[in-house]
Each structure stands twice: as C-alpha cells, then as structure tokens.
Amino acid sequence: MPPRTMLVIPCYNEEPGLRTTADELRRILRQLIDAHQIDAHSCVLFVDDGSKDGTWGVIRALHNEDPELFHGLKLAHNKGHQNALFAGLMHALHSDADVAISMDADLQDDPGAVADMVEAWREGSEIVYGVRDNRETDTAFKRGTAHMFYALMKGLGTETVPDHADYRLMSHTALEALSQYHESNLFLRGIVPSLGFPTAKVYYKRGERVAGESKYPLHKMVSFAVQGITSFSTKPLSIITGLGVMSTLTGIGILIYTIVSLCTGNVVSGWASLMCSVWILGGLILAALGVVGEYIAKIYLEVKQRPRYIVQESI
C-alpha cells in the first residue's frame, strides 16, 4: 500500500521563501500521489521554532488554503533546529504516519529525492539518508571544515554519515525507537545511525537557498560540532588523561635539566625553558578544565529533566 507520508520542515525566520518552498513541496507530493507512490492523505508539517518574523502567519495562511496538505506546529520558544525537528518527528509518530521525511525549509535539500527515498523504504530500509553527491556550492573553507568534522567524529568513535545533514526518511518503527531517547542534548545525526535498523542512501545535488540567510553561521557550526562530540564520545576525557601523563613526564625531564643546570652554574640559561613550561602547562590545565566543564554542563542540563520544547499551537 502507498505509505502515508509526512514531510517535516523545521522553520526559523523563513517567511521570505516559505511560500516558494510550499509550492514546490505541493507539486512533488501531488506527483507522487497521482503516481500512487504515496497515500492521498500525505501532508507537510511546518514546525515554527519560535520565529521572530511572520513565519507562523504564512504557515497559518497555507493551512487555510489547503488544510489537508499543510499542517503546522508552533513552539512557544526558539529551542534550536534539532529540538524543532524532533518535535515534528514525534508529531508524525503520533499522527500514525507510515514514514516521516525531514528536510530544511530553504529547498537546498532536493525534494525530487523523496520518490527515491520512498522506493528504498519499499525495498526494506527503515531509514534512508539523503546524502550530498558533491559540495560544489560550498566555499573551500566550509568544505574543508566539514570533512574535518566527519573525520574527527569518526576518530572519536561516533557513527555519522558523511555529507548527510538532516534530510532523511524514517519509518514508523524507526520513529518509535527514536522516541525512547530522552536526552536534552540532541544530536540526531549521531542518534539516528545508532538505532541499528536497515538503512539506505539516496544521493542528491544540493541547491542554493531559495531565500533568506543561512541559519548556521560559523559560531553555530562550531557549537553544533562541540554538541555532537560531547554528546556521543568520552574520548576527549581520555585525551586529557594522556596529556596529563605527557606533561608529568615532561616535568620530570625539566626537573632533571634544572638539577643539571644548578650543578653546572647555568641557572640563567634555563629561564626560557621554565617560562615555556609554565605557559604550556597553564594552557593544558585550562583546556582540560574547559573540556571537563563541557561534560559537567551536559550532566547539569540532563539531570534537570526540563522539557525539550513546548508546543504553543497546532493546526
């Protein structure tokens, strides 16, 4: 039977291009429905992540024009892309959708790949990843840092899918499994691959933003990378332990050097070595405290067990 499909679209200040996105998604869904690839009751769910512009007004207008196709979920406060996406996926689960397909609202994720994702689901995959086939639209800096990020995550033992963001299909079974994760520090790009269900990849060409600005400037990308590393790996703590051992051995070497310098009367000549040692050790200590602090902050947020998001309105 054609699966009841829900497209989950997190939105934050997407008013300028949301109607263009809605028109394209309507066209794609109508084609798939007419071809009997998806159920006639398939729909689009826009999740407004506490936008400061008129995003919710556009979503409400789209719903009034086509209440069967366009649905909306408004969060009471901006909770970040991952929480907004999770809210939409859980809404899809409780709406008994057969599959949920998440994508960004800027049309950089090619909606034309939806048909291939559904076909992969028919063939038995519970999770289908949308993977970029190239990074030609990225700057050299962004392309290089992205490759470094995936290499670092792999080195730290975290399972991720290179060149995959949050464009993916998840079956009802996979959504039920995802609902059992109650952590506040969400990193879906690491959680979803850890579910362990049969998966497939669909490659697509990433396009340009339809309107507006990127919601992931450099500082947010760095924060997101730190979130992913500290949410899934404790290796940074092991690295600190190794650095501590190395510093201790270095300190022993400097102690021997100092004793030799005292015996030979070359105390002044060792001043540079002493200063370098002080600065290096001071930097290592501060870095270690920072890494440990990141993990303590994660523990602090988790033990409070505050809700990840609050739904203000649903249409």
PDB file of all heavy atoms in Angstrom, residues 172-196:
ATOM      1  N   HIS A 172       7.845   4.335  10.602  1.00  0.00           N
ATOM      2  CA  HIS A 172       7.125   4.391  11.877  1.00  0.00           C
ATOM      3  C   HIS A 172       7.890   3.610  12.949  1.00  0.00           C
ATOM      4  O   HIS A 172       7.979   4.044  14.106  1.00  0.00           O
ATOM      5  CB  HIS A 172       5.721   3.813  11.706  1.00  0.00           C
ATOM      6  CG  HIS A 172       4.825   4.043  12.884  1.00  0.00           C
ATOM      7  ND1 HIS A 172       4.095   5.199  13.053  1.00  0.00           N
ATOM      8  CD2 HIS A 172       4.558   3.268  13.970  1.00  0.00           C
ATOM      9  CE1 HIS A 172       3.413   5.121  14.185  1.00  0.00           C
ATOM     10  NE2 HIS A 172       3.667   3.957  14.753  1.00  0.00           N
ATOM     11  N   THR A 173       8.471   2.478  12.570  1.00  0.00           N
ATOM     12  CA  THR A 173       9.252   1.668  13.508  1.00  0.00           C
ATOM     13  C   THR A 173      10.467   2.435  14.012  1.00  0.00           C
ATOM     14  O   THR A 173      10.779   2.425  15.218  1.00  0.00           O
ATOM     15  CB  THR A 173       9.707   0.370  12.839  1.00  0.00           C
ATOM     16  OG1 THR A 173       8.565  -0.362  12.380  1.00  0.00           O
ATOM     17  CG2 THR A 173      10.511  -0.495  13.807  1.00  0.00           C
ATOM     18  N   ALA A 174      11.163   3.105  13.107  1.00  0.00           N
ATOM     19  CA  ALA A 174      12.341   3.882  13.498  1.00  0.00           C
ATOM     20  C   ALA A 174      11.952   5.062  14.381  1.00  0.00           C
ATOM     21  O   ALA A 174      12.670   5.404  15.334  1.00  0.00           O
ATOM     22  CB  ALA A 174      13.080   4.369  12.257  1.00  0.00           C
ATOM     23  N   LEU A 175      10.817   5.685  14.098  1.00  0.00           N
ATOM     24  CA  LEU A 175      10.352   6.804  14.932  1.00  0.00           C
ATOM     25  C   LEU A 175      10.012   6.335  16.337  1.00  0.00           C
ATOM     26  O   LEU A 175      10.284   7.045  17.316  1.00  0.00           O
ATOM     27  CB  LEU A 175       9.127   7.458  14.288  1.00  0.00           C
ATOM     28  CG  LEU A 175       9.366   8.236  12.989  1.00  0.00           C
ATOM     29  CD1 LEU A 175       8.047   8.700  12.397  1.00  0.00           C
ATOM     30  CD2 LEU A 175      10.298   9.421  13.224  1.00  0.00           C
ATOM     31  N   GLU A 176       9.419   5.161  16.455  1.00  0.00           N
ATOM     32  CA  GLU A 176       9.127   4.618  17.791  1.00  0.00           C
ATOM     33  C   GLU A 176      10.412   4.405  18.586  1.00  0.00           C
ATOM     34  O   GLU A 176      10.471   4.685  19.781  1.00  0.00           O
ATOM     35  CB  GLU A 176       8.358   3.306  17.659  1.00  0.00           C
ATOM     36  CG  GLU A 176       6.905   3.475  17.273  1.00  0.00           C
ATOM     37  CD  GLU A 176       6.168   2.142  17.216  1.00  0.00           C
ATOM     38  OE1 GLU A 176       6.831   1.109  16.937  1.00  0.00           O
ATOM     39  OE2 GLU A 176       4.952   2.140  17.473  1.00  0.00           O
ATOM     40  N   ALA A 177      11.453   3.908  17.905  1.00  0.00           N
ATOM     41  CA  ALA A 177      12.735   3.714  18.577  1.00  0.00           C
ATOM     42  C   ALA A 177      13.343   5.058  18.977  1.00  0.00           C
ATOM     43  O   ALA A 177      13.887   5.208  20.078  1.00  0.00           O
ATOM     44  CB  ALA A 177      13.691   2.936  17.669  1.00  0.00           C
ATOM     45  N   LEU A 178      13.248   6.047  18.102  1.00  0.00           N
ATOM     46  CA  LEU A 178      13.796   7.368  18.401  1.00  0.00           C
ATOM     47  C   LEU A 178      13.095   8.009  19.589  1.00  0.00           C
ATOM     48  O   LEU A 178      13.730   8.731  20.374  1.00  0.00           O
ATOM     49  CB  LEU A 178      13.656   8.270  17.163  1.00  0.00           C
ATOM     50  CG  LEU A 178      14.191   9.695  17.297  1.00  0.00           C
ATOM     51  CD1 LEU A 178      15.699   9.684  17.533  1.00  0.00           C
ATOM     52  CD2 LEU A 178      13.853  10.510  16.053  1.00  0.00           C
ATOM     53  N   SER A 179      11.808   7.731  19.755  1.00  0.00           N
ATOM     54  CA  SER A 179      11.046   8.332  20.855  1.00  0.00           C
ATOM     55  C   SER A 179      11.535   7.870  22.228  1.00  0.00           C
ATOM     56  O   SER A 179      11.215   8.494  23.243  1.00  0.00           O
ATOM     57  CB  SER A 179       9.552   8.000  20.704  1.00  0.00           C
ATOM     58  OG  SER A 179       9.317   6.607  20.930  1.00  0.00           O
ATOM     59  N   GLN A 180      12.316   6.804  22.274  1.00  0.00           N
ATOM     60  CA  GLN A 180      12.824   6.299  23.549  1.00  0.00           C
ATOM     61  C   GLN A 180      14.062   7.065  24.021  1.00  0.00           C
ATOM     62  O   GLN A 180      14.547   6.840  25.132  1.00  0.00           O
ATOM     63  CB  GLN A 180      13.153   4.814  23.419  1.00  0.00           C
ATOM     64  CG  GLN A 180      11.951   3.950  23.061  1.00  0.00           C
ATOM     65  CD  GLN A 180      12.327   2.487  22.876  1.00  0.00           C
ATOM     66  OE1 GLN A 180      13.139   1.946  23.608  1.00  0.00           O
ATOM     67  NE2 GLN A 180      11.729   1.859  21.876  1.00  0.00           N
ATOM     68  N   TYR A 181      14.589   7.952  23.187  1.00  0.00           N
ATOM     69  CA  TYR A 181      15.745   8.762  23.572  1.00  0.00           C
ATOM     70  C   TYR A 181      15.244  10.038  24.255  1.00  0.00           C
ATOM     71  O   TYR A 181      14.560  10.848  23.636  1.00  0.00           O
ATOM     72  CB  TYR A 181      16.585   9.113  22.343  1.00  0.00           C
ATOM     73  CG  TYR A 181      17.411   7.962  21.830  1.00  0.00           C
ATOM     74  CD1 TYR A 181      16.810   6.889  21.169  1.00  0.00           C
ATOM     75  CD2 TYR A 181      18.790   7.928  22.001  1.00  0.00           C
ATOM     76  CE1 TYR A 181      17.559   5.818  20.710  1.00  0.00           C
ATOM     77  CE2 TYR A 181      19.551   6.868  21.532  1.00  0.00           C
ATOM     78  CZ  TYR A 181      18.928   5.820  20.890  1.00  0.00           C
ATOM     79  OH  TYR A 181      19.666   4.762  20.443  1.00  0.00           O
ATOM     80  N   HIS A 182      15.587  10.187  25.514  1.00  0.00           N
ATOM     81  CA  HIS A 182      15.050  11.299  26.309  1.00  0.00           C
ATOM     82  C   HIS A 182      16.083  12.367  26.634  1.00  0.00           C
ATOM     83  O   HIS A 182      15.836  13.233  27.470  1.00  0.00           O
ATOM     84  CB  HIS A 182      14.453  10.758  27.610  1.00  0.00           C
ATOM     85  CG  HIS A 182      13.390   9.720  27.407  1.00  0.00           C
ATOM     86  ND1 HIS A 182      12.170  10.003  26.821  1.00  0.00           N
ATOM     87  CD2 HIS A 182      13.370   8.387  27.676  1.00  0.00           C
ATOM     88  CE1 HIS A 182      11.437   8.896  26.761  1.00  0.00           C
ATOM     89  NE2 HIS A 182      12.149   7.897  27.264  1.00  0.00           N
ATOM     90  N   GLU A 183      17.245  12.326  26.007  1.00  0.00           N
ATOM     91  CA  GLU A 183      18.288  13.277  26.356  1.00  0.00           C
ATOM     92  C   GLU A 183      17.954  14.681  25.883  1.00  0.00           C
ATOM     93  O   GLU A 183      17.286  14.882  24.863  1.00  0.00           O
ATOM     94  CB  GLU A 183      19.618  12.832  25.749  1.00  0.00           C
ATOM     95  CG  GLU A 183      19.578  12.637  24.249  1.00  0.00           C
ATOM     96  CD  GLU A 183      20.594  11.609  23.788  1.00  0.00           C
ATOM     97  OE1 GLU A 183      20.418  10.423  24.104  1.00  0.00           O
ATOM     98  OE2 GLU A 183      21.555  12.006  23.127  1.00  0.00           O
ATOM     99  N   SER A 184      18.413  15.665  26.653  1.00  0.00           N
ATOM    100  CA  SER A 184      18.168  17.066  26.318  1.00  0.00           C
ATOM    101  C   SER A 184      19.113  17.552  25.231  1.00  0.00           C
ATOM    102  O   SER A 184      18.766  18.423  24.438  1.00  0.00           O
ATOM    103  CB  SER A 184      18.326  17.937  27.567  1.00  0.00           C
ATOM    104  OG  SER A 184      17.390  17.576  28.558  1.00  0.00           O
ATOM    105  N   ASN A 185      20.328  17.002  25.207  1.00  0.00           N
ATOM    106  CA  ASN A 185      21.343  17.433  24.250  1.00  0.00           C
ATOM    107  C   ASN A 185      21.224  16.579  22.984  1.00  0.00           C
ATOM    108  O   ASN A 185      21.919  15.586  22.824  1.00  0.00           O
ATOM    109  CB  ASN A 185      22.735  17.287  24.862  1.00  0.00           C
ATOM    110  CG  ASN A 185      22.876  18.114  26.131  1.00  0.00           C
ATOM    111  OD1 ASN A 185      23.031  19.317  26.075  1.00  0.00           O
ATOM    112  ND2 ASN A 185      22.812  17.454  27.272  1.00  0.00           N
ATOM    113  N   LEU A 186      20.319  17.002  22.112  1.00  0.00           N
ATOM    114  CA  LEU A 186      20.017  16.211  20.922  1.00  0.00           C
ATOM    115  C   LEU A 186      21.067  16.410  19.836  1.00  0.00           C
ATOM    116  O   LEU A 186      21.434  17.539  19.516  1.00  0.00           O
ATOM    117  CB  LEU A 186      18.653  16.607  20.365  1.00  0.00           C
ATOM    118  CG  LEU A 186      17.420  15.999  21.033  1.00  0.00           C
ATOM    119  CD1 LEU A 186      16.168  16.612  20.429  1.00  0.00           C
ATOM    120  CD2 LEU A 186      17.392  14.498  20.860  1.00  0.00           C
ATOM    121  N   PHE A 187      21.517  15.305  19.282  1.00  0.00           N
ATOM    122  CA  PHE A 187      22.383  15.321  18.104  1.00  0.00           C
ATOM    123  C   PHE A 187      21.889  14.189  17.215  1.00  0.00           C
ATOM    124  O   PHE A 187      22.395  13.071  17.254  1.00  0.00           O
ATOM    125  CB  PHE A 187      23.849  15.123  18.506  1.00  0.00           C
ATOM    126  CG  PHE A 187      24.805  15.222  17.349  1.00  0.00           C
ATOM    127  CD1 PHE A 187      24.969  16.420  16.675  1.00  0.00           C
ATOM    128  CD2 PHE A 187      25.537  14.122  16.935  1.00  0.00           C
ATOM    129  CE1 PHE A 187      25.853  16.510  15.603  1.00  0.00           C
ATOM    130  CE2 PHE A 187      26.419  14.204  15.870  1.00  0.00           C
ATOM    131  CZ  PHE A 187      26.577  15.405  15.208  1.00  0.00           C
ATOM    132  N   LEU A 188      20.865  14.501  16.426  1.00  0.00           N
ATOM    133  CA  LEU A 188      20.170  13.469  15.658  1.00  0.00           C
ATOM    134  C   LEU A 188      21.065  12.804  14.622  1.00  0.00           C
ATOM    135  O   LEU A 188      20.852  11.641  14.281  1.00  0.00           O
ATOM    136  CB  LEU A 188      18.933  14.067  14.983  1.00  0.00           C
ATOM    137  CG  LEU A 188      17.822  14.523  15.940  1.00  0.00           C
ATOM    138  CD1 LEU A 188      16.707  15.210  15.178  1.00  0.00           C
ATOM    139  CD2 LEU A 188      17.276  13.354  16.740  1.00  0.00           C
ATOM    140  N   ARG A 189      22.074  13.514  14.131  1.00  0.00           N
ATOM    141  CA  ARG A 189      22.973  12.916  13.141  1.00  0.00           C
ATOM    142  C   ARG A 189      23.795  11.783  13.747  1.00  0.00           C
ATOM    143  O   ARG A 189      24.332  10.958  13.018  1.00  0.00           O
ATOM    144  CB  ARG A 189      23.916  13.986  12.574  1.00  0.00           C
ATOM    145  CG  ARG A 189      23.182  15.093  11.855  1.00  0.00           C
ATOM    146  CD  ARG A 189      24.140  16.090  11.235  1.00  0.00           C
ATOM    147  NE  ARG A 189      23.450  17.328  10.894  1.00  0.00           N
ATOM    148  CZ  ARG A 189      24.020  18.349  10.278  1.00  0.00           C
ATOM    149  NH1 ARG A 189      25.298  18.282   9.927  1.00  0.00           N
ATOM    150  NH2 ARG A 189      23.332  19.442  10.011  1.00  0.00           N
ATOM    151  N   GLY A 190      23.898  11.746  15.060  1.00  0.00           N
ATOM    152  CA  GLY A 190      24.572  10.645  15.722  1.00  0.00           C
ATOM    153  C   GLY A 190      23.603   9.619  16.281  1.00  0.00           C
ATOM    154  O   GLY A 190      23.892   8.424  16.303  1.00  0.00           O
ATOM    155  N   ILE A 191      22.421  10.090  16.731  1.00  0.00           N
ATOM    156  CA  ILE A 191      21.436   9.187  17.325  1.00  0.00           C
ATOM    157  C   ILE A 191      20.842   8.250  16.281  1.00  0.00           C
ATOM    158  O   ILE A 191      20.749   7.033  16.496  1.00  0.00           O
ATOM    159  CB  ILE A 191      20.307   9.990  18.013  1.00  0.00           C
ATOM    160  CG1 ILE A 191      20.848  10.729  19.233  1.00  0.00           C
ATOM    161  CG2 ILE A 191      19.167   9.054  18.437  1.00  0.00           C
ATOM    162  CD1 ILE A 191      19.819  11.613  19.913  1.00  0.00           C
ATOM    163  N   VAL A 192      20.423   8.812  15.136  1.00  0.00           N
ATOM    164  CA  VAL A 192      19.720   8.001  14.129  1.00  0.00           C
ATOM    165  C   VAL A 192      20.577   6.832  13.624  1.00  0.00           C
ATOM    166  O   VAL A 192      20.088   5.699  13.553  1.00  0.00           O
ATOM    167  CB  VAL A 192      19.226   8.889  12.974  1.00  0.00           C
ATOM    168  CG1 VAL A 192      18.626   8.037  11.859  1.00  0.00           C
ATOM    169  CG2 VAL A 192      18.190   9.895  13.481  1.00  0.00           C
ATOM    170  N   PRO A 193      21.870   7.041  13.282  1.00  0.00           N
ATOM    171  CA  PRO A 193      22.664   5.877  12.847  1.00  0.00           C
ATOM    172  C   PRO A 193      22.843   4.824  13.935  1.00  0.00           C
ATOM    173  O   PRO A 193      23.083   3.655  13.628  1.00  0.00           O
ATOM    174  CB  PRO A 193      24.021   6.502  12.480  1.00  0.00           C
ATOM    175  CG  PRO A 193      23.709   7.910  12.122  1.00  0.00           C
ATOM    176  CD  PRO A 193      22.614   8.296  13.073  1.00  0.00           C
ATOM    177  N   SER A 194      22.710   5.243  15.210  1.00  0.00           N
ATOM    178  CA  SER A 194      22.892   4.279  16.303  1.00  0.00           C
ATOM    179  C   SER A 194      21.655   3.419  16.545  1.00  0.00           C
ATOM    180  O   SER A 194      21.708   2.480  17.348  1.00  0.00           O
ATOM    181  CB  SER A 194      23.255   5.025  17.598  1.00  0.00           C
ATOM    182  OG  SER A 194      22.140   5.742  18.111  1.00  0.00           O
ATOM    183  N   LEU A 195      20.537   3.708  15.858  1.00  0.00           N
ATOM    184  CA  LEU A 195      19.314   2.927  16.072  1.00  0.00           C
ATOM    185  C   LEU A 195      19.478   1.490  15.590  1.00  0.00           C
ATOM    186  O   LEU A 195      18.870   0.576  16.140  1.00  0.00           O
ATOM    187  CB  LEU A 195      18.129   3.585  15.351  1.00  0.00           C
ATOM    188  CG  LEU A 195      17.717   4.973  15.851  1.00  0.00           C
ATOM    189  CD1 LEU A 195      16.560   5.511  15.023  1.00  0.00           C
ATOM    190  CD2 LEU A 195      17.360   4.950  17.330  1.00  0.00           C
ATOM    191  N   GLY A 196      20.246   1.304  14.516  1.00  0.00           N
ATOM    192  CA  GLY A 196      20.593  -0.050  14.098  1.00  0.00           C
ATOM    193  C   GLY A 196      19.658  -0.719  13.109  1.00  0.00           C
ATOM    194  O   GLY A 196      19.770  -1.909  12.863  1.00  0.00           O
TER     195      GLY A 196
END
